[in-house]
Amino acid sequence: MHMEALPMERNQLRAVVLLSAVMVMLSLSSCCASSAGGGQLLHPVILIPGSGGNQLEARLTDDYKPSSLTCRLWPPVRGRGGWFRLWFDPSVLLAPLTRCFAERMMLYYDRDADDYRNAPGVETRVSDFGSTSTLRYLDPTLKLLTGYMDTLASTLETAGYEEGHTLFGAPYDFRYGLAAPGHPSQVGSAYLDRLRLLVESACAANGGRPAILLAHSLGGLYALQLLARAPLPWRAAHVKRLVTLSAPWGGSVQVMLTFASGNTLGVPFVDASLIRAEQRSSESNLWLLPTPKVFGNTTLVVSERHNRTYSAKNVTQFLQDIGFAEGVEPYRARTRPLGEALPEPGVPVTCLVGTGVDTVESLVFGEEGFDAGPVKVVYGDGDGTVNLASLVGPIKAWSDSPAQIIEVVELPKVSHTGILKDKSALEQILRIVDSINRNATSTSPRQST
Ligand SMILES: *[C@@H]1O[C@H](CO)[C@@H](O)[C@H](O)[C@H]1NC(C)=O
Ligand SMILES: *[C@@H]1O[C@H](CO)[C@@H](O)[C@H](O)[C@H]1NC(C)=O
Ligand SMILES: *[C@@H]1O[C@H](CO)[C@@H](O)[C@H](O)[C@H]1NC(C)=O
Ligand SMILES: *[C@@H]1O[C@H](CO)[C@@H](O)[C@H](O)[C@H]1NC(C)=O
């Protein structure tokens, strides 16, 4: 139910596969096949997923106050230590269970603490940090149902990458976000600390060779914050390149629809108002609202009932008018400044972006108000989820800086999550990783034995 709820995503569009690209692919796989069995020096790769691609486990304590008998009893088998899968669990699609899901997923903004926290009585955790298992498999224990990043991870394996040695995963609790300096963000900051340590240990385990960060969607925003908050010498020593896939640098207009009337992604029987409350409570969704820096004065939403138009500069008014006044303060103080100050990464960057897929560009809500959903939706260019302006937004500013190396690769007709499976995208990723590894050396003074 978040920005890219993967089990529901359908990528019907296929990019044309260029013969030359296929040949590059063939030559890469033959190069790597010949070096299979070791010997090849690789820069470690760390996969940082987008929001819906993470998994989340929960445990209910005595403080949990279920809203119904169903929620008291569900799930019947709560697994080891009471932990059960909260996201993604297909039971969310069954009407009576949607409510249980929503009340456990909800976050609360604590004004006194100026931070977000879980619902009372709900403990959550992200398991297998450091591993790609929860990104590759919907059922990480049995490994039967492949998911989100499996194709990408397998592609890297064909290029010689090995789980736990050169290939790592950095899942996180995607409901939380980060906050502007001066505001606490316990969960988000703890994740950045873990990610920093993972990067350091991956480098140390690979002869001091700096890591390649491969980040999808919201993961790109986290990766940028990791870099921006680290001293330049740390970045140079530990990160070879940041490769972002579909990073929503300036947010997405579609997220305004999510806040206004809920986004069930067309799945029937799901109660939009329950889902909307949960989606509104997510701090990371505030982070993904369109930013003034990228969208400027452009009218994104019209409300005929309020006789108002809203640009990215009017998001606080918008949040009030849709009936979500609680979101105004955290948005204004904590989240909006992050989107306004998009510092350059300070390491070489490649941004892979899908284009040419119909993407919500503006919305008109009628006399019935926001709850009723839009009466008109205008589509524009983007990857189906994120607008083109946002995908390439800050890149111009970054490339004006002489020290910043930046490469943008546009992939026609590749969707927001389709980019994780699309042939042309995977070829680009192999090209980047291979050209970096061709230069890999074992002579680093950091190498330990
Ligand atoms: C945007 O709107 C503000 C206030 O209405 C105005 O001062 C500013 O010049 C406008 N900017 C652009 C780029 O149109
Ligand atoms: C809507 O707003 C415009 C200008 O903001 C105003 O001229 C018009 O009278 C308003 N219409 C209604 C029905 O309030
Ligand atoms: C939106 O923001 C612009 C520029 O700051 C301002 O002129 C306009 O009155 C705002 N509109 C609403 C509905 O708040
Ligand atoms: C590989 O090394 C060469 C020579 O030092 C350099 O010009 C090139 O940019 C390097 N390539 C990558 C991908 O780092």
Side-chain angles (χ1 to χ4, degrees):
M1 299 299 129
H2 280 258
M3 194 151 160
E4 63 273 353
L6 297 148
M8 275 81 81
E9 157 79 23
R10 297 169 297 271
N11 177 16
Q12 293 145 334
L13 300 161
R14 291 273 176 271
V16 175
V17 179
L18 299 171
L19 185 60
S20 60
V22 172
M23 303 205 17
V24 169
M25 181 98 143
L26 289 175
S27 69
L28 283 184
S29 44
S30 62
C31 107
C32 301
S34 64
S35 67
Q40 194 187 1
L41 297 173
L42 300 175
H43 287 265
V45 167
I46 296 175
L47 301 182
I48 307 173
S51 59
N54 290 280
Q55 296 193 16
L56 198 56
E57 290 180 301
R59 177 161 74 173
L60 307 174
T61 70
D62 291 344
D63 293 333
Y64 174 59
K65 299 279 177 287
S67 63
S68 67
L69 183 62
T70 309
C71 300
R72 182 181 298 284
L73 299 176
W74 181 267
V77 179
R78 285 181 176 155
R80 282 168 298 145
W83 291 100
F84 62 96
R85 182 83 51 78
L86 181 58
W87 177 266
F88 175 78
D89 174 29
S91 74
V92 61
L93 305 177
L94 299 173
L97 302 179
T98 307
R99 176 181 296 278
C100 312
F101 163 78
E103 71 190 28
R104 294 161 187 172
M105 281 290 277
M106 291 280 283
L107 292 187
Y108 293 84
Y109 176 62
D110 180 340
R111 246 169 214 289
D112 298 332
D114 181 21
D115 204 355
Y116 279 82
R117 55 176 173 75
N118 277 356
V122 180
E123 288 176 12
T124 49
R125 71 176 184 191
V126 173
S127 54
D128 279 348
F129 182 82
S131 153
T132 64
S133 67
T134 61
L135 313 178
R136 297 186 68 166
Y137 302 103
L138 295 177
D139 54 337
T141 315
L142 295 175
K143 299 188 171 25
L144 293 175
L145 302 170
T146 58
Y148 187 63
M149 279 185 154
D150 187 52
T151 308
L152 177 55
S154 303
T155 301
L156 290 166
E157 283 172 348
T158 63
Y161 275 87
E162 250 184 281
E163 174 74 32
H165 296 284
T166 45
L167 181 60
F168 304 89
Y172 53 92
D173 186 336
F174 57 94
R175 301 170 302 161
Y176 288 87
L178 287 167
H183 297 270
S185 182
Q186 217 183 6
V187 175
S189 307
Y191 172 66
L192 285 193
D193 288 343
R194 277 181 116 179
L195 181 55
R196 184 171 41 77
L197 293 173
L198 177 64
V199 171
E200 289 173 0
S201 63
C203 296
N206 284 280
R209 283 183 292 284
I212 301 165
L213 305 182
L214 195 45
H216 179 232
S217 191
L218 179 63
L221 303 193
Y222 270 108
L224 180 62
Q225 293 297 323
L226 171 80
L227 293 166
R229 294 172 189 207
L232 266 176
W234 184 93
R235 297 183 228 178
H238 296 94
V239 179
K240 187 72 181 171
R241 184 171 282 261
L242 168 63
V243 180
T244 61
L245 314 171
S246 324
W249 301 118
S252 147
V253 177
Q254 186 182 287
V255 176
M256 295 180 88
L257 175 60
T258 301
F259 274 94
S261 37
N263 186 356
T264 58
L265 299 152
V267 181
F269 317 122
V270 169
D271 181 340
S273 66
L274 283 176
I275 290 301
R276 184 181 69 181
E278 181 269 308
Q279 287 168 331
R280 283 180 175 181
S281 81
S282 155
E283 185 184 23
S284 59
N285 278 345
L286 285 180
W287 199 1
L288 295 169
L289 281 163
T291 68
K293 189 172 193 160
V294 162
F295 289 91
N297 286 351
T298 312
T299 295
L300 305 177
V301 171
V302 175
S303 169
E304 288 170 353
R305 174 186 257 185
H306 297 86
N307 192 23
R308 278 193 181 133
T309 65
Y310 310 84
S311 72
K313 294 179 179 169
N314 307 123
V315 168
T316 54
Q317 184 69 51
F318 169 78
L319 291 173
Q320 239 143 33
D321 291 351
I322 62 171
F324 184 50
E326 311 91 279
V328 169
E329 189 50 23
Y331 166 76
R332 195 195 56 74
R334 297 168 58 87
T335 314
R336 188 172 59 188
L338 291 177
E340 286 306 89
L342 278 180
E344 60 190 57
V347 301
V349 178
T350 302
C351 297
L352 301 183
V353 305
T355 61
V357 184
D358 283 348
T359 306
V360 176
E361 195 157 275
S362 66
L363 299 154
V364 178
F365 292 86
E367 293 296 340
E368 307 258 282
F370 289 106
D371 291 359
V375 293
K376 186 178 170 204
V377 179
V378 177
Y379 293 89
D381 201 351
D383 67 12
T385 302
V386 180
N387 311 87
L388 183 59
S390 170
L391 292 166
V392 299
I395 289 170
K396 173 78 177 70
W398 289 347
S399 50
D400 285 346
S401 161
Q404 179 65 54
I405 298 171
I406 185 143
E407 178 190 27
V408 182
V409 182
E410 294 193 14
L411 302 163
K413 300 290 178 199
V414 174
S415 75
H416 188 68
T417 51
I419 202 166
L420 295 163
K421 293 199 165 75
D422 180 86
K423 269 204 161 64
S424 62
L426 296 173
E427 283 159 13
Q428 288 292 336
I429 292 165
L430 283 184
R431 171 188 64 80
I432 296 157
V433 168
D434 185 61
S435 71
I436 290 172
N437 286 329
R438 277 176 202 280
N439 280 4
T441 58
S442 60
T443 55
S444 164
R446 292 175 51 88
Q447 186 171 24
S448 56
T449 45

